[in-house]
Each structure stands twice: as C-alpha cells, then as structure tokens.
Amino acid sequence: MNISLSKYIAKDQRRKAFFTLHSSLFTSLLILSAMTASCTKDGDIVTAQQPSAAVIDGSCLGTLDEHNTNALAMTLHWTDNTAGRLETNYSDVLLPLNACKNKLQVSDSENFASYDETVVNDGVSQMQFTARLLNEITARLQLTPYEQHDIYVRMATSTGDNIEPVYSNTLHFNVTPYKIYLNQAHVIDANGNDTGLFLYSPDEDGHYEGFHKTPSGWYNMFLRENDGTLWYTEPNKAFEVTKTPDWKLWYPEFAGCYYTTFDTQSKQWTALYIPSLTVSGDISGDMKLDPLEAKWTMTFTPETAGQKTITISCPEAKFFDKSSRDATDKAQTKSIYMNPDQGISYESAQVSLNVEQAGTPQTLVIDFSDNVNGLSYTIEEGGQETHDLLSAAGFNNQWDPIDLIEIENTGIYYGEVTASAECKWGVQILKNGSWDSYYGLSADGHTLLDGSKDNGTPSASVWQKGQTYYIVIDVNKMEYLLTPKVEISYAGFNDDWTVTPMHPTATQGTYVAYVNATAENKWGVQFLVNGSWSEYYGTQPDGVLTSGWKAGGTPDATIWQPGSRYKVTIDTVNLTYSIEKP
C-alpha cells in the first residue's frame, strides 16, 4: 500500500517544488528536501511506502500480587521499526529518520474496541511492567479485581495522527488484578518525581482534599491517582484539569501552607492559602510556619497547668479557584478556623489541650502532614527556635530557586552553584520561597540587603563559566560571600578517620563543623583539602594550622570531654583553628 504525499509539482524557470503533506509527521526538513527534488515531468505524484509492522513477543506473570507490587509482571520486546528512513518513489525526496511512531495498546477485547495506550519513545524496543504498573492498566480498563481476565497486547505504528496505523501481531495473556483503592492523589513534582505528599479521598469518589506545604511561590506539579491516571491543567484555564498531557498545575505566587481540594468529576481544583495563624483564649500568640516541616509552632510559658481552651484562626486566608485563577486581587478573602474534627472550618471552633507543667517554656505544634488522620495538636516541652528557609534565585539568569542549607540553626546558610551564564537581572535570596520576602546582594560583594536588591551580581572577573561556587549567607551579620568552591573536611576527631565535610562561612577561607566528643584524639586531626590525604592542614598545639604537616595539636582532656559538643573553626587564610563549646 502507498501513501500519497499528494501534490502537483510545478516547474518554472526557478524550478520550485511545493508539497502539501497530509500528516503532522512531515516537518520543514522534509519540505526543504522535497523542494530540491527533480521530477521527470510536471504533475508527478510523490509517494511513500507504508511503515512496516512491528513483531512483538513477551510474557506475563498472570496473578498480580498486591503485597509485592514491585515484582516484574510483564515483559515485552519487539522489532525496532522506527529507526530507518521511509522510502519514496523519488530518491531525491528524503523523509526524516525515526519517521514511524509506536504506541503500545492493551485491551480486554480481541478486537480492541477499547484500549489503554502508551506512547513508546523512539529507539525503544522493549518494556517491562511491574505488578503495580500492569495493575494500573487493568484498573483503567475497569477489570474486576481478583477475577481472571483475558488481555490483548499489540503495537500500533503510524507516520502521523491522521494516518491509519499498521498493527503488530497480537499477544494474549491471562491476568488476575488486585483492587486499587482510589483514596489518594499523589503530588508529582515538575520533574516527574513523587514527592510523598498526597491528597485524600475517604469515600473514593474522585474528590480529594488535604493540606499541602509548597516550598516556593508559583510551585507547580501534577496529580496522580492510585490507578496511575495523571491530571494536568487545561491550557490557559487555571484550576481546571484534564487528562491530556499539557500544562502543570500551578499554585499562586505565595509559598507556604495551603488547603487543597481536587475533584475528578467537576475537573476542577482549589487552593486556600493560609498566610498566618493566631491563637487566642487560655493561650495567646502568633504561630509560625516551620520552614522545613509541615507544622505550625508557637512557644509560650503557661502560668498554670491543666486544660486549656483556645481558638486558632486566620482572618485573611486567600481562596483561589477557576473564577479567580491565580490572580491575588481576584481571590476571595476568607476567615477560617482550625477545627479538630473538620480540619478547616468557616465558623468559630475551639481546641482543648492539656498543659502538664507551668512556668516553663512549652511549644504548641499543629502538624498538618497527615491528610488521612487530619491535624494533630500537641504541646511539647521546651521552646523551639525556628529560622527562615532560604533559597537563591537568579544565578545564570535562572529563576528556579536553589535551596540553601542552614548550619546547625546558626542563621548561616550555604549552597553551591556552577557558573554557566551571566546573571543579568541580579540574585535574590528568597525567605521561605516567597518572592515578596527576600534578601538582596549588595554590589559591594559582601553586604546582605533585607527586602531590597542592588544588582549584586558577580562580574565576569569573578564568575568564570564552568567554575563551581559557594554562596554563603549570614543573616546575623547581614553578610554574604560568593567564592570558588574548595571543600574542606576533617578526619581524626575521636580517633575516627572518616572524612567529614565542614561548612563554609561568610568569611573568606573560614569553615566550621560541630563535633560530638566521644573519645580521645590519639593521633591528632587533619583538615583535608578537596578530600585529599596528600593535601591537608595539620594542627599545632598553639592553635596554628600548618599546610601539609601535622604535629599532634589536638585538644587534651581539659578542653575535649566525651559527652560534650564542640564547634570547630578553621581559617585557611590566617592559618588558625579553634575548638570551643558553642
């Protein structure tokens, strides 16, 4: 069978040739090739051969084990019929390589009246399915769990969306699936990774809801149901969803705590942003969102012990849906209450808690990480010091934030970035992922600016492409440092020779580590440069570092006591070190 590329080829003095292609496959490359073709006479028809059908083979496990969902259940392999170039009746008209596209089809009927389809990437000639993946296919085919079913597998090959495909031979297997509980919609990040977060549907009716903490503003994701169905955003229709692979689901500009609903029937989702929580009643104060955990916390000192009744509210929650989209000025402002039974309430609700000890710091914690069991309210002994979560945006003119690591709750943060392009629009250090709350980098190369940006971007003289740098932020001293990465590690404390990295600080050449003392330091300590045992600093008894030489300058029992924790600091510029209790 021939497929007509169907176009009259006209000749004029410039011998132009034009082809109208009735397939989405044939790109501008084909048109350029065809324009150079020489034909024997006006009106010739250029045709291409139908693609060859794949030959498919494989095996299937049969009974799918819900207790071993990662077990290999089905293996398929087939002849690769996509790599070659299609032939035409004119040798001068060349069609693209990989012109054929394969789609794997699985059906519960031999005539494939309905089927589940998977697009196969170019050059792939085999696939394996775990019990979970194959079971998800049977669920989409609506096969009854725990009963044996016939399934049929074939490969469809075509050269365009509007061209009838050719089909491989058909494989026949017997499969007994297990029940899939459609009670979770998993949050899949923009790179396709399962975040471990999910929304919950107790009635398995396609309506999911729950709390979600976003790490940055404009956080985007997909949602995947337990049967493998992925949900996307309708193009240009925020908060409306579709199964058609296209746009990701985007939260609004705020980072932080959201209460999210997602409904597969109405094909809509909503996001209720909770910017703050206020406690009133027997205990009062403002709660803070933990920058790392899905928790709200507040430290207080009760005057008396016993049962306490409180109200936890937010008067200015922002509700986003299809009517508001992600525009803040169109969002509804709602007054909400944290409710022990309902999670979120629009009417005043009270929480009762027992305080066991008076006169000492206590911390009220609301944990919203468990969407199955709901909110948990606890009071923990002692206060909790929380810091902002910082991330850097703007390096290499890229605006996906790079998370920074805080050192031991010190207010000193650092991260790594490799130079690949100029930083045209400056760099911002976001607080808790918010584009409205940030530090800027001063152009003087070391001053941190709170809430303003001074285009403190590295110049070409200090920003070399291919070089990896440390970015260090010290919010205590309001300083920053951008310096080529030199990894400093220690070995020898407690007679343990494991190479352990130290942390860079905002002072050039200074690194810190926090070490638990558990034993003597029999053979001294070395500070290794880039992990090398041949390039290191040795410790002298008087607090001096010596490059490449060690003289047993380790702390004695008077300053190194097992059971204590120490801050170790080295200065590779001035060649000194110190060991002290933090």
Side-chain angles (χ1 to χ4, degrees):
M1 174 182 178
N2 289 334
I3 302 173
S4 173
L5 302 185
S6 85
K7 188 58 196 172
Y8 173 80
I9 301 179
K11 290 183 180 180
D12 60 15
Q13 59 183 347
R14 292 172 298 170
R15 296 197 58 80
K16 291 184 178 179
F18 297 87
F19 298 86
T20 299
L21 307 176
H22 297 286
S23 169
S24 61
L25 160 71
F26 302 113
T27 62
S28 58
L29 292 175
L30 171 59
I31 296 174
L32 291 173
S33 297
M35 289 175 65
T36 63
S38 175
C39 303
T40 57
K41 62 179 183 297
D42 291 352
D44 282 353
I45 300 298
V46 178
T47 61
Q49 299 297 315
Q50 181 79 319
S52 60
V55 177
I56 189 169
D57 197 3
S59 60
C60 184
L61 183 63
T63 300
L64 305 181
D65 186 356
E66 60 190 301
H67 303 294
N68 189 13
T69 59
N70 291 321
L72 185 60
M74 183 169 72
T75 299
L76 302 173
H77 52 89
W78 57 90
T79 55
D80 184 4
N81 60 336
T82 63
R85 189 188 293 278
L86 286 179
E87 295 182 356
T88 69
N89 60 332
Y90 280 106
S91 59
D92 289 340
V93 179
L94 301 177
L95 303 188
L97 292 171
N98 302 106
C100 304
K101 301 297 179 183
N102 281 332
K103 296 179 180 180
L104 183 70
Q105 297 177 347
V106 181
S107 176
D108 60 342
S109 62
E110 195 170 6
N111 63 0
F112 286 80
S114 63
Y115 52 83
D116 184 84
E117 188 171 73
T118 302
V119 176
V120 179
N121 293 331
D122 291 342
V124 173
S125 59
Q126 63 177 357
M127 295 180 73
Q128 293 182 321
F129 295 82
T130 62
R132 180 182 67 82
L133 293 176
L134 183 55
N135 201 69
E136 289 175 356
I137 292 175
T138 66
R140 293 194 291 270
L141 293 173
Q142 299 183 340
L143 302 186
T144 304
Y146 308 115
E147 294 182 7
Q148 189 179 83
H149 297 271
D150 295 310
I151 64 168
Y152 301 88
V153 181
R154 70 182 182 185
M155 189 69 69
T157 305
S158 65
T159 54
D161 293 337
N162 60 344
I163 297 177
E164 182 67 22
V166 296
Y167 300 101
S168 70
N169 56 303
T170 298
L171 302 180
H172 171 228
F173 301 119
N174 291 318
V175 172
T176 301
Y178 57 85
K179 180 176 176 58
I180 290 181
Y181 295 92
L182 295 175
N183 58 357
Q184 293 179 339
H186 300 265
V187 176
I188 309 299
D189 70 19
N191 297 317
N193 301 312
D194 193 333
T195 63
L197 305 173
F198 62 86
L199 306 178
Y200 186 59
S201 176
D203 298 325
E204 300 185 57
D205 56 359
H207 179 81
Y208 303 86
E209 57 188 68
F211 289 94
H212 184 200
K213 183 178 182 295
T214 62
S216 63
W218 303 115
Y219 180 76
N220 51 96
M221 63 177 188
F222 308 103
L223 283 173
R224 188 192 72 214
E225 295 185 272
N226 278 349
D227 66 353
T229 301
L230 277 168
W231 290 92
Y232 307 81
T233 292
E234 287 275 11
N236 298 307
K237 294 182 179 180
F239 294 99
E240 297 181 61
V241 298
T242 176
K243 296 180 185 179
T244 303
D246 211 322
W247 290 13
K248 290 164 283 193
L249 284 68
W250 288 78
Y251 278 89
E253 61 182 300
F254 308 113
C257 180
Y258 285 88
Y259 191 77
T260 303
T261 71
F262 165 62
D263 195 289
T264 63
Q265 303 302 316
S266 64
K267 294 184 172 55
Q268 297 179 35
W269 69 292
T270 68
L272 178 70
Y273 173 60
I274 307 173
S276 62
L277 287 177
T278 299
V279 180
S280 59
D282 293 337
I283 304 170
S284 61
D286 295 325
M287 304 198 75
K288 290 187 65 176
L289 182 63
D290 189 300
L292 298 178
E293 305 290 338
K295 295 178 181 179
W296 290 89
T297 65
M298 184 189 78
T299 297
F300 65 100
T301 302
E303 294 181 359
T304 61
Q307 201 72 13
K308 307 295 181 183
T309 300
I310 58 175
T311 298
I312 305 172
S313 62
C314 174
E316 295 185 345
K318 300 293 184 184
F319 182 75
F320 296 86
D321 64 1
K322 64 175 291 186
S323 63
S324 65
R325 302 199 174 192
D326 53 19
T328 303
D329 58 349
K330 294 182 179 179
Q332 300 177 47
T333 299
K334 293 180 176 288
S335 183
I336 65 165
Y337 301 85
M338 307 303 274
N339 189 311
D341 299 320
Q342 302 174 14
I344 290 289
S345 174
Y346 294 101
E347 297 181 356
S348 183
Q350 292 184 327
V351 179
S352 293
L353 295 169
N354 184 53
V355 174
E356 295 184 355
Q357 190 173 358
T360 60
Q362 316 264 325
T363 299
L364 170 63
V365 179
I366 302 177
D367 188 326
F368 59 88
S369 63
D370 186 352
N371 282 326
V372 175
N373 298 306
L375 300 172
S376 71
Y377 301 83
T378 57
I379 292 181
E380 301 176 359
E381 291 187 10
Q384 288 190 358
E385 185 178 6
T386 60
H387 295 93
D388 292 323
L389 178 66
L390 299 188
S391 54
F395 283 115
N396 300 315
N397 207 32
Q398 297 294 315
W399 296 95
D400 289 333
I402 302 168
D403 289 340
L404 304 182
I405 300 169
E406 184 179 12
I407 305 172
E408 294 277 329
N409 293 317
T410 59
I412 301 173
Y413 302 75
Y414 73 97
E416 297 179 17
V417 60
T418 300
S420 61
E422 294 181 14
C423 307
K424 294 181 180 179
W425 306 106
V427 174
Q428 287 177 246
I429 308 300
L430 308 182
K431 300 178 184 178
N432 301 318
S434 173
W435 291 95
D436 294 323
S437 180
Y438 62 88
Y439 297 107
L441 306 185
S442 173
D444 64 11
H446 63 83
T447 303
L448 194 64
L449 305 173
D450 195 356
S452 63
K453 184 159 63 71
D454 192 24
N455 199 28
T457 54
S459 65
S461 61
V462 297
W463 187 250
Q464 302 292 330
K465 289 185 179 181
Q467 172 69 54
T468 298
Y469 294 86
Y470 281 130
I471 172 70
V472 185
I473 305 296
D474 188 336
V475 299
N476 307 302
K477 298 179 180 179
M478 292 299 290
E479 295 178 348
Y480 78 91
L481 175 70
L482 186 69
T483 182
K485 177 185 175 182
V486 177
E487 187 175 275
I488 301 294
S489 306
Y490 69 81
F493 284 117
N494 304 310
D495 200 24
D496 181 354
W497 295 92
T498 303
V499 177
T500 305
M502 302 184 72
H503 309 293
T505 71
T507 301
Q508 182 77 40
T510 300
Y511 298 78
V512 299
Y514 291 79
V515 184
N516 291 319
T518 60
E520 295 180 9
N521 305 292
K522 295 181 179 179
W523 305 106
V525 177
Q526 288 177 235
F527 296 100
L528 284 64
V529 179
N530 295 325
S532 172
W533 288 98
S534 59
E535 185 179 358
Y536 62 87
Y537 297 98
T539 53
Q540 306 300 306
D542 56 0
V544 173
L545 289 178
T546 303
S547 180
W549 187 68
K550 181 166 64 72
T554 55
D556 59 30
T558 59
I559 61 171
W560 186 262
Q561 298 174 352
S564 296
R565 185 168 177 80
Y566 295 91
K567 178 183 178 182
V568 180
T569 305
I570 74 165
D571 182 344
T572 62
V573 174
N574 297 302
L575 293 178
T576 61
Y577 76 94
S578 65
I579 299 174
E580 58 188 347
K581 288 186 177 181

